[in-house]
C-alpha cells in the first residue's frame, strides 16, 4: 500500500494480530526495575504513589460508570469491538520513531507517531465485520475536554477503501487485508494535529438505522503519542535537509559550549530524548505550561511553553536554578553530564523540581524536550552575553570617584550584567504569525532571567529579526537583541552633570563575540573541531554599515535606548590606554593585570589609575575581590609606561568559584583634561583535562572497561573527588565517589 507520501507500507500479520514484542531497547539489567509502590510512602516517591492511586481510582470510576451506562441502554444488534492492534513497531519504523524506548516496552508498548503521515490500525470484532452492515466511527480524543471545533476531537467514519478528505483532515481507508473479524485500517493524521497523547474510542452501530439506532462503544486505554514531523512538508517544523534532521532531531548526544570567549570548549552532553522517561515528561511539561489544548499543534506556542516549563519559576518545572555556589542540598550544576538523570530524579521525586541547574543545563534539557517532541533544536552559546534589565539596549556600569563599581547603579535598580557566556536554544519552524522572511531558526531561553507576559519564559525570537534589529516582532526580541548587540557604557561620577554621571566610554564591539553550537554531522571527542560559528545568523559583521544600521533600527524602536544614546563624551582624549588581554592561565600560576599608557600630547599628563582583579561567576556577578591597587604617576610628552598588578596563586585560589572565571577592571583618569578611560577583561583558570581510554573495541551486550586519569598540577593534595559518567545507549548515568585523595603533582587513575 502507498500512503500520502508515496511510501510503501506493509503491516505484518494482516489476518491475525501479531503478538506483543519480545525485544526491548531498555538498558536496565533484570532485577533493577524499581517497584515504586514498595517504597516508603513518606519518602521521595510518596507523591508518585499518591498520584498513581488517584489515577487508578479515577480510571476505575470512569470505567464502571461507562459499563453501567452501557448496560442501561436497550439491547443493540450492532457489532462489538473486542480489542485493537496498533502495529506499534511497524508504524514506528515508518514514522522514524523506532528509537523510542516506549515503543519497545515489553509490558505496555506505546504507539509513537508523527503527524502528516498514515499509520496502520486493526480492530477485532466479536462477529465478522461487514462494511455494508456495520457502521464504525473512530473517535480520536485529545486533552481533558475534546472538541471537534477546537481540533482536539476527530470523528472518522469507516466507509471507503480510499482516502476521501483533504490533507487538513483526519481520514482513514479500509485496507485489503481486512477479513473475517479483523478490520485493518490506514489512518491519516493531518500535519496540524495536536501534539501529545491521543486516545481512541470506537463506536459501532448499524448502517440500516431502521434495524436500530443503538451503538456499542469500545474505549481503548492506549496512550497514542503524536509528534511534530520535520520530514513532512505540511508541518510547520519541516526541515528540508536529511543531515540536519539527523543532527537536530535524531542525535541523542552532543555538546554544549561553555567557558570564556577566548577559551571556549564543548562540554559533552547526553540528551537522551528517546529514553523511556523523556517523552512522558515532555508532554507533562506542556500541561504545566498551561498551553491550551487547541494550541498544542502550534510549534510557536509549544516552544514558548517549553521555555517556561523547564524552569521551576512559575509552574514547578523540571529544574531549579542556583548561581551562588551553595549546592549542599542538591547536585551542583557542573556535575550533570546528561538530561536523563535529571528527568529520572524529577519523576522519582514526585515531579518536584530537581536541584540545581544553570543556563547550560536548562538549555540541554530544552534540547531533550524539543527533540523528543519532534522539533528540530540545538543548544546555542553566546559568549560575552548581555543581560539588559531596563530595556535600554545598553549595558550600563557605574563607577564611583575612587574606581569602585556601583552595584545597582545610582538608583539601585540597574542590574545590567554581562555573562561570560550564556546558553539558550534555537528551534526550527515557520512563523506564519510574522511577516514573510522571518521563519527558520528561532531563539528560546528557559533560564529564568526576566519576566515575559508575567512568566519566566523567552521566545521564540526570529534570528532574522534579531539580525535586522526588528525588535517589535514577537516574542521578547529586544531582550535577545541586547544579548548579542548591546553597547557597553561606562559611567563615571560627575558632580557637574545634570544627573550626577557622565559617560566615559562606549564599547560597541564587546558583546556577542562568538555564538557557537555543535556543527551538523561532525563529532570530535578529543577537541572542538566540531563546533559551528553562528555569529552571522544573529548579527551583521562588527563595524559594518549593516551592523550599525541594525543598532539604529533597534534604538529607533526603543524610547529608553534613545535617551542613553543621546549622551556624547566631550573631553579631549590625548592619552591612549591598552589593557593587555589574558588568554588563559593554568591553575597554580600567577597572572598580571597590565595596562600600557602612552601620552600622545606635547604636554605633561598626571594620571590616576585603579586596577582590580575579582573572581566572578560565569554570569558576570562578582564573587570575591582578590586584589586591588591604585596610584598616580606622571607621563612626559610622547612618553609610554606600563602599569601592572601581579596576583599570585596563593592570593586567588581560595576565592575561585565554579568555572574559575576571573574579571579584571582598569580605570584611569587624566587630571589636566578630565579624560576618563576604562576597560575590562575576562579569562579563566584552566584545570587539567581528564583523559579517557577504552581498553578494547566496545561490543553490544559485552562489558568493557574505561580508564579515567589526570595529573594534579598543584603543590597540595586534592580531596573529596567525584566522577560523573554518562553514555547515550551505553549505561545509566552514574555519580562515583572517589575515596582516596590525589597527592600533590600526583596522578589520579
Amino acid at each position: 500500500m502507498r500512503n500520502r507520501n508515496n511510501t510503501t507500507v506493509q503491516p505484518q500479520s494482516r489476518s491475525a494480530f501479531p503478538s506483543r514484542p519480545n525485544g526491548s531497547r531498555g538498558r536496565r539489567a533484570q532485577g533493577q526495575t524499581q517497584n515504586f509502590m514498595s517504597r516508603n510512602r513518606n519518602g521521595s516517591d510518596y507523591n508518585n504513589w499518591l498520584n498513581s492511586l488517584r489515577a487508578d481510582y479515577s480510571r476505575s470510576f470512569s470505567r464502571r460508570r461507562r459499563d453501567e451506562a452501557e448496560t442501561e441502554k436497550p439491547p443493540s444488534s450492532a457489532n462489538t469491538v473486542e480489542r485493537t492492534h496498533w502495529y506499534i513497531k511497524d508504524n514506528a519504523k515508518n514514522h522514524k520513531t523506532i528509537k523510542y524506548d516506549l515503543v519497545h516496552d515489553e509490558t505496555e508498548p506505546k504507539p509513537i507517531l508523527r503527524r502528516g503521515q498514515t499509520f496502520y490500525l486493526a480492530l477485532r470484532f466479536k462477529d465478522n465485520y461487514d462494511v455494508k452492515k456495520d457502521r464504525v466511527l473512530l473517535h480520536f480524543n485529545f486533552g481533558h475536554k475534546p472538541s471537534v471545533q477546537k481540533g482536539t476531537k476527530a470523528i472518522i467514519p469507516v466507509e471507503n477503501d480510499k482516502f476521501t478528505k483533504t490533507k487538513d483532515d483526519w481520514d482513514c481507508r479500509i485496507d485489503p487485508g481486512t477479513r473475517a473479524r479483523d478490520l485493518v485500517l490506514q489512518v491519516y493524521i493531518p500535519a496540524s494535529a495536536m501534539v501529545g497523547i491521543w486516545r481512541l474510542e470506537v463506536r459501532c452501530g448499524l448502517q440500516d438505522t431502521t434495524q436500530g439506532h443503538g451503538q456499542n462503544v469500545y474505549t481503548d486505554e492506549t496512550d497514542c503519542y503524536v509528534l511534530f514531523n520535520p520530514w513532512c512538508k505540511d508541518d510547520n517544523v519541516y526541515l528540508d535537509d536529511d543531515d540536519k534532521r539527523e543532527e537536530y532531531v535524531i542525535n541523542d548526544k552532543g555538546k554544549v559550549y561553555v567557558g570564556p570567549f577566548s577559551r571556549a570548549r564543548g562540554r559533552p552532553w547526553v540528551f537522551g530524548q528517546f529514553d523511556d522517561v523523556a517523552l512522558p515528561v515532555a508532554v507533562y511539561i506542556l500541561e504545566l505550561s498551561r498551553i491550551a489544548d487547541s494550541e498544542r499543534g502550534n510549534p510557536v506556542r509549544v516552544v514558548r511553553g517549553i521555555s517556561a516549563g523547564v524552569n521551576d519559576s512559575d509552574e514547578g518545572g523540571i529544574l531549579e536554578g542556583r548561581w551562588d555556589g551553595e549546592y549542599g542540598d542538591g547536585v551542583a550544576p557542573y556535575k550533570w553530564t546528561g538530561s536523563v538523570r535529571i528527568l529520572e530524579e524529577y519523576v522519582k521525586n514526585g515531579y518536584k523540581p530537581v536541584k540545581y541547574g544553570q543556563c547550560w543545563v536548562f538549555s540541554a534539557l530544552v534540547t531533550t524536550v524539543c527533540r523528543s517532541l519532534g522539533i528540530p533544536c540545538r543548544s546555542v552559546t553566546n559568549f560575552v552575553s548581555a543581560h539588559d534589565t531596563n530595556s535600554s539596549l545598553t549595558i550600563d556600569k557605574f563607577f564611583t570617584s575612587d574606581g569602585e563599581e556601583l552595584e545597582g547603579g545610582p538608583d539601585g535598580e540597574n542590574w545590567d550584567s554581562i555573562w561570560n557566556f550564556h546558553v539558550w536554544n534555537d528551534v526550527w519552524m515557520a512563523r506564519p504569525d510574522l511577516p514573510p522572511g522571518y521563519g527558520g531558526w528561532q531563539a528560546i531561553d528557559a533560564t529564568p532571567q526576566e519576566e515575559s507576559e508575567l512568566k519566566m519564559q523567552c521566545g521564540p525570537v526570529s534570528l532574522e529579526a534579531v539580525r535586522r534589529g526588528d525588535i517589535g516582532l514577537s516574542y521578547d526580541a529586544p531582550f535577545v537583541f541586547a544579548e548579542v548587540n548591546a553597547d557597553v557604557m561606562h559611567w563615571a561620577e560627575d558632580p557637574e552633570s545634570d544627573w550626577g554621571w557622565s559617560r566615559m566610554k562606549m564599547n560597541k564591539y564587546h558583546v556577542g563575540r562568538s555564538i557557537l553550537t555543535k556543527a551538523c554531522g561532525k563529532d570530535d571527542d578529543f577537541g572542538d573541531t566540531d563546533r559551528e560559528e553562528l555569529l552571522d545568523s544573529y548579527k551583521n559583521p562588527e563595524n559594518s554599515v549593516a551592523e550599525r544600521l541594525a543598532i539604529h533600527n533597534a534604538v529607533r524602536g526603543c524610547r529608553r535606548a534613545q535617551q542613553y544614546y543621546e549622551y556624547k563624551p566631550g573631553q579631549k582624549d590625548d592619552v591612549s590606554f591598552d589593557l593587555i588581554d589574558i588568554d588563559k592561565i593554568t591553575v597554580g600560576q600567577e597572572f598580571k593585570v597590565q595596562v600600557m599608557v602612552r601620552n600622545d600630547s606635547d604636554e605633561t599628563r598626571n594620571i590616576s589609575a585603579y586596577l582590580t582583579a575579582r573572581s566572578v561567576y560565569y554570569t558576570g556577578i562578582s564573587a570575591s575581590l582578590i586584589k586591588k591597587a591604585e596610584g598616580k604617576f606622571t607621563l612626559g610628552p610622547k612618553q609610554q609606561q606600563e602599569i601592572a598588578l601581579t596576583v599570585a596563586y596563593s592570593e586567588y585560589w581560595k576565592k575561585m568559584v565554579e568555572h574559575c572565571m576571573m574579571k579584571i577592571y582598569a580605570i584611569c583618569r587624566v587630571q589636566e583634561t578630565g579624560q576618563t578611560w576604562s576597560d575590562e577583561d575576562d579569562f579563566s583558570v584552566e584545570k587539567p583535562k581528564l583523559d579517557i581510554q577504552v581498553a578494547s573495541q566496545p561490543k553490544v551486550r559485552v562489558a568493557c572497561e574505561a580508564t579515567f586519569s589526570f595529573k594534579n598540577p598543584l603543590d597540595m593534595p586534592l580531596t573529596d573527588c567525584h566522577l560523573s559518567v554518562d553514555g547515550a545507549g551505553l549505561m545509566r548515568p552514574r555519580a562515583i565517589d572517589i575515596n582516596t585523595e590525589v597527592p600533590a603533582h600526583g596522578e589520579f587513575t
Side-chain angles (χ1 to χ4, degrees):
M1 296 301 146
R2 291 194 175 271
N3 63 14
R4 293 193 171 192
N5 295 322
N6 288 328
T7 303
T8 301
V9 182
Q10 294 291 344
Q12 296 175 353
S13 304
R14 292 286 180 85
S15 60
F17 296 167
S19 60
R20 287 192 181 276
N22 55 16
S24 174
R25 233 185 121 253
R27 291 164 290 188
R28 290 188 179 89
Q30 283 187 334
Q32 278 188 291
T33 303
Q34 296 174 328
N35 185 349
F36 294 133
M37 293 293 286
S38 66
R39 291 281 194 89
N40 180 352
R41 293 178 181 177
N42 293 320
S44 61
D45 282 330
Y46 178 70
N47 284 338
N48 282 341
W49 176 80
L50 194 61
N51 288 335
S52 70
L53 282 184
R54 291 170 180 161
D56 289 343
Y57 291 165
S58 179
R59 278 195 293 267
S60 297
F61 176 82
S62 299
R63 177 185 54 76
R64 288 193 298 271
R65 292 299 177 267
R66 285 198 306 267
D67 292 346
E68 289 171 4
E70 287 299 314
T71 59
E72 292 174 0
K73 291 180 180 179
S76 172
S77 57
N79 210 342
T80 303
V81 173
E82 292 186 332
R83 61 190 176 101
T84 60
H85 181 64
W86 289 84
Y87 299 103
I88 290 176
K89 290 189 177 181
D90 297 299
N91 287 323
K93 291 174 183 176
N94 186 43
H95 285 245
K96 298 179 175 61
T97 59
I98 195 66
K99 288 189 175 183
Y100 285 84
D101 283 354
L102 295 179
V103 168
H104 303 272
D105 190 295
E106 293 184 357
T107 305
E108 293 183 348
K110 306 295 185 187
I112 302 179
L113 310 169
R114 297 192 189 275
R115 61 188 196 173
Q117 284 186 238
T118 61
F119 69 92
Y120 277 95
L121 173 70
L123 309 177
R124 172 159 291 173
F125 290 88
K126 181 180 179 181
D127 301 317
N128 286 349
Y129 171 75
D130 184 346
V131 68
K132 295 180 179 179
K133 173 188 173 185
D134 298 318
R135 176 169 172 76
V136 178
L137 295 173
L138 306 180
H139 286 223
F140 283 92
N141 300 309
F142 182 90
H144 72 287
K145 197 173 182 180
S147 165
V148 173
Q149 293 89 341
K150 293 183 178 180
T152 55
K153 185 181 187 70
I155 301 177
I156 314 171
V158 178
E159 298 173 326
N160 303 290
D161 59 0
K162 294 182 174 60
F163 292 112
T164 59
K165 298 183 180 180
T166 70
K167 64 181 180 181
D168 298 321
D169 298 308
W170 288 76
D171 201 357
C172 79
R173 57 182 289 277
I174 300 173
D175 188 81
T178 295
R179 63 172 177 248
R181 295 164 56 199
D182 295 337
L183 169 61
V184 181
L185 301 171
Q186 196 176 11
V187 182
Y188 171 71
I189 310 172
S192 58
M194 307 309 152
V195 168
I197 296 174
W198 288 79
R199 290 279 183 87
L200 171 63
E201 184 180 86
V202 185
R203 295 176 179 264
C204 301
L206 297 172
Q207 295 284 10
D208 185 359
T209 56
T210 63
Q211 300 297 315
H213 292 274
Q215 286 186 336
N216 292 321
V217 179
Y218 175 84
T219 302
D220 190 354
E221 299 292 340
T222 304
D223 290 338
C224 175
Y225 288 88
V226 174
L227 311 182
F228 290 101
N229 192 350
W231 286 267
C232 174
K233 292 182 178 180
D234 297 319
D235 198 311
N236 278 344
V237 303
Y238 173 65
L239 182 57
D240 186 18
D241 189 307
D242 284 336
D243 292 337
K244 289 181 179 178
R245 286 191 292 250
E246 181 67 28
E247 180 67 46
Y248 303 129
V249 181
I250 300 300
N251 195 357
D252 58 0
K253 63 183 184 300
K255 288 184 177 180
V256 182
Y257 285 86
V258 298
F261 158 65
S262 58
R263 304 293 297 179
R265 65 182 179 88
R267 181 188 181 99
W269 194 272
V270 178
F271 297 117
Q273 67 267 30
F274 304 120
D275 196 276
D276 59 6
V277 74
L279 184 54
V281 171
V283 172
Y284 176 73
I285 287 302
L286 302 187
E287 295 290 342
L288 275 189
S289 301
R290 302 291 189 267
I291 306 171
D293 290 346
S294 59
E295 290 286 349
R296 295 193 196 176
N298 180 356
V300 175
R301 301 303 302 179
V302 168
V303 298
R304 186 160 173 79
I306 290 171
S307 78
V310 165
N311 68 70
D312 76 320
S313 298
D314 300 294
E315 288 90 6
I318 301 172
L319 194 64
E320 180 178 336
R322 190 155 191 168
W323 285 265
D324 60 4
E326 300 295 330
Y327 311 120
D329 60 340
V331 176
Y334 53 82
K335 289 187 177 180
W336 301 117
T337 55
S339 301
V340 172
R341 184 177 160 206
I342 299 172
L343 297 176
E344 289 181 340
E345 286 295 314
Y346 184 55
V347 173
K348 287 191 290 186
N349 291 336
Y351 296 86
K352 292 181 179 179
V354 177
K355 300 176 180 181
Y356 290 103
Q358 292 177 353
C359 70
W360 72 93
V361 190
F362 285 110
S363 172
L365 279 173
V366 167
T367 301
T368 299
V369 171
C370 286
R371 290 184 184 180
S372 71
L373 292 173
I375 302 170
C377 182
R378 63 191 184 190
S379 287
V380 170
T381 306
N382 179 36
F383 290 91
V384 191
S385 185
H387 184 168
D388 175 23
T389 60
N390 61 354
S391 300
S392 66
L393 304 185
T394 62
I395 299 301
D396 303 290
K397 298 188 177 184
F398 296 85
F399 296 88
T400 62
S401 56
D402 60 356
E404 285 288 341
E405 183 179 3
L406 184 64
E407 294 189 2
D411 56 5
E413 297 294 329
N414 185 91
W415 296 97
D416 289 356
S417 62
I418 297 180
W419 297 24
N420 292 78
F421 66 90
H422 179 45
V423 192
W424 60 73
N425 295 82
D426 286 346
V427 287
W428 180 272
M429 66 185 66
R431 288 298 300 269
D433 57 320
L434 299 182
Y438 290 96
W441 289 114
Q442 316 285 316
I444 61 172
D445 194 344
T447 302
Q449 297 177 86
E450 297 292 323
E451 282 193 343
S452 173
E453 295 179 338
L454 304 180
K455 293 172 70 172
M456 287 295 185
Q457 58 188 354
C458 182
V461 183
S462 166
L463 266 59
E464 183 62 18
V466 173
R467 194 178 67 82
R468 297 182 187 180
D470 290 338
I471 63 172
L473 301 177
S474 298
Y475 294 86
D476 311 305
F479 187 81
V480 176
F481 179 86
E483 285 183 303
V484 299
N485 281 298
D487 289 339
V488 180
M489 295 188 178
H490 286 192
W491 302 86
E493 210 169 9
D494 183 1
E496 297 182 5
S497 169
D498 292 340
W499 68 303
W501 301 85
S502 60
R503 196 175 74 193
M504 56 179 170
K505 174 190 177 181
M506 182 171 77
N507 189 333
K508 302 177 181 179
Y509 314 117
H510 182 69
V511 166
R513 300 288 293 276
S514 177
I515 303 176
L516 296 181
T517 191
K518 179 186 175 298
C520 177
K522 295 184 179 180
D523 193 5
D524 184 354
D525 291 332
F526 305 103
D528 286 315
T529 60
D530 54 355
R531 72 185 193 179
E532 180 182 355
E533 177 61 72
L534 301 177
L535 205 59
D536 290 345
S537 298
Y538 274 87
K539 56 197 294 188
N540 294 294
E542 295 284 14
N543 205 25
S544 67
V545 173
E547 188 263 346
R548 283 293 103 185
L549 283 175
I551 294 287
H552 294 154
N553 191 30
V555 171
R556 187 169 60 247
C558 180
R559 185 179 182 122
R560 179 72 61 87
Q562 294 171 16
Q563 296 172 350
Y564 277 69
Y565 275 87
E566 284 175 357
Y567 291 97
K568 294 192 171 25
Q571 74 269 3
K572 181 179 181 182
D573 296 344
D574 56 14
V575 178
S576 61
F577 302 88
D578 183 22
L579 176 63
I580 306 302
D581 290 342
I582 299 175
D583 182 23
K584 68 165 184 172
I585 65 167
T586 302
V587 63
Q589 295 179 332
E590 67 175 29
F591 65 87
K592 283 186 178 182
V593 183
Q594 296 174 280
V595 178
M596 297 299 300
V597 186
R598 187 178 70 250
N599 180 6
D600 295 321
S601 73
D602 296 323
E603 302 174 4
T604 298
R605 294 290 183 249
N606 290 287
I607 300 167
S608 301
Y610 304 86
L611 304 179
T612 305
R614 291 181 175 272
S615 62
V616 294
Y617 295 100
Y618 82 96
T619 58
I621 301 299
S622 176
S624 298
L625 173 65
I626 296 174
K627 198 170 185 179
K628 177 181 178 180
E630 58 182 275
K632 297 181 179 180
F633 59 97
T634 301
L635 275 183
K638 310 301 182 184
Q639 282 189 344
Q640 179 172 300
Q641 182 174 327
E642 177 191 287
I643 55 176
L645 171 66
T646 302
V647 182
Y649 172 69
S650 60
E651 294 175 300
Y652 71 75
W653 79 270
K654 288 185 178 181
K655 297 181 179 180
M656 287 193 300
V657 292
E658 56 203 67
H659 299 292
C660 301
M661 296 280 191
M662 300 288 180
K663 181 178 281 290
I664 54 179
Y665 279 122
I667 301 175
C668 296
R669 286 190 177 88
V670 180
Q671 179 179 322
E672 287 78 12
T673 63
Q675 176 186 352
T676 305
W677 168 88
S678 63
D679 205 352
E680 59 188 270
D681 185 29
D682 301 286
F683 65 94
S684 65
V685 180
E686 293 200 343
K687 302 172 188 175
K689 286 189 175 181
L690 190 66
D691 183 52
I692 304 175
Q693 298 291 333
V694 180
S696 59
Q697 181 66 34
K699 296 181 180 179
V700 175
R701 294 187 178 87
V702 177
C704 67
E705 183 177 286
T707 303
F708 305 85
S709 62
F710 74 94
K711 185 174 182 180
N712 177 10
L714 302 180
D715 295 324
M716 60 182 68
L718 301 178
T719 60
D720 193 23
C721 300
H722 310 271
L723 273 178
S724 295
V725 187
D726 208 340
L730 300 175
M731 57 178 289
R732 292 295 183 191
R734 294 181 61 191
I736 304 170
D737 293 332
I738 309 302
N739 296 319
T740 59
E741 67 177 35
V742 183
H745 298 290
E747 287 196 5
F748 160 79
T749 301

